[in-house]
Amino acid sequence: GIQVEQSPPDLILQEGANSTLRCNFSDSVNNLQWFHQNPWGQLINLFYIPSGTKQNGRLSATTVATERYSLLYISSSQTTDSGVYFCAVDNNAGNMLTFGGGTRLMVKP
Amino acid sequence: NAGVTQTPKFQVLKTGQSMTLQCAQDMNHNSMYWYRQDPGMGLRLIYYSASEGTTDKGEVPNGYNVSRLNKREFSLRLESAAPSQTSVYFCATATSGRGNEQFFGPGTRLTVL
């Protein structure tokens, strides 16, 4: 099946700093989503981005489908950005999302 | 508009007991999914239903059964719970299965002693 790798696995930032999270995948995809899992365990949809670039406030994402990677940019980080960021993809083989291992982000005040 | 709801939020079972996790959605989506998340890991698909009346196995179906009761509701049943099924269970929905954005419920935290 498709492999999804995220980097870095852990990230500690000072409030106000910027960061880039990366997601590499091993096959072509129909769907790529970024999620934020907050400290209470809730999965929050950030982006649905199988290709191209999108922005939502301080967050933006870019997927280069031909090169099989996606980037999530967080600017001017806040303590509420803390949690785990997951990339998940759905390839041509079926309906399931395959999740990466996540990037655990801690933003310190 | 509640989106995707799951009941219960928490549950503790003894080995061998059975239970059913409930999921309901008011998003009028055709596809519904059950995932499990083990500590420190991403989610893995247990079963999915592409439309009312159909169900299919995902990556980790052993020990589980599902029922797509109607378009709104998709339940997950553990017939004889085992400690290895201790996990957080998430239900998700999508407009249709392939290539469409999935939306997740709040999760059910299950502990099997």
Side-chain angles (χ1 to χ4, degrees):
Chain A
I2 193 168
Q3 305 297 314
V4 183
E5 294 183 357
Q6 292 185 241
S7 59
D10 296 281
L11 186 59
I12 300 175
L13 297 176
Q14 205 65 38
E15 197 169 28
N18 303 327
S19 63
T20 301
L21 283 58
R22 187 177 179 102
C23 172
N24 293 332
F25 44 95
S26 61
D27 202 349
S28 60
V29 297
N30 288 310
N31 173 8
L32 187 146
Q33 292 184 241
W34 283 98
F35 296 92
H36 174 214
Q37 188 165 41
N38 64 23
W40 296 270
Q42 185 179 7
L43 278 167
I44 299 165
N45 288 43
L46 296 178
F47 293 102
Y48 169 72
I49 187 166
S51 63
T53 297
K54 291 186 178 179
Q55 181 155 7
N56 185 2
R58 296 181 296 103
L59 274 59
S60 64
T62 295
T63 297
V64 184
T66 53
E67 297 187 20
R68 299 181 183 167
Y69 73 89
S70 183
L71 302 174
L72 178 68
Y73 305 95
I74 304 174
S75 64
S76 303
S77 59
Q78 300 177 357
T79 56
T80 51
D81 294 332
S82 296
V84 183
Y85 289 81
F86 287 106
C87 166
V89 302
D90 166 19
N91 67 359
N92 291 319
N95 294 313
M96 61 183 278
L97 283 179
T98 299
F99 281 73
T103 293
R104 187 173 300 274
L105 173 65
M106 179 184 296
V107 181
K108 294 186 172 182
Chain B
N1 188 347
V4 183
T5 58
Q6 294 182 233
T7 55
K9 288 185 170 54
F10 301 93
Q11 184 71 48
V12 179
L13 294 177
K14 295 181 180 179
T15 297
Q17 288 185 316
S18 62
M19 79 161 296
T20 300
L21 282 64
Q22 306 286 355
C23 175
Q25 53 107 355
D26 62 4
M27 304 175 80
N28 201 32
H29 285 172
N30 291 321
S31 298
M32 299 185 74
Y33 310 81
W34 278 105
Y35 291 85
R36 61 177 286 174
Q37 183 180 27
D38 298 318
M41 297 178 64
L43 281 67
R44 292 181 295 168
L45 183 69
I46 305 170
Y47 270 93
Y48 68 95
S49 170
S51 62
E52 186 178 350
T54 68
T55 60
D56 285 287
K57 295 178 180 179
E59 184 183 356
V60 288
N62 291 344
Y64 305 96
N65 287 302
V66 291
S67 295
R68 183 72 183 268
L69 305 170
N70 47 55
K71 188 172 185 177
R72 290 188 63 248
E73 298 172 292
F74 189 36
S75 63
L76 178 72
R77 183 160 178 83
L78 287 70
E79 291 290 351
S80 179
S84 60
Q85 294 178 304
T86 294
S87 190
V88 181
Y89 291 84
F90 288 94
C91 177
T93 71
T95 304
S96 62
R98 185 166 298 171
N100 282 283
E101 186 174 10
Q102 293 190 19
F103 297 86
F104 284 79
T108 294
R109 188 174 296 275
L110 174 67
T111 301
V112 183
L113 302 175

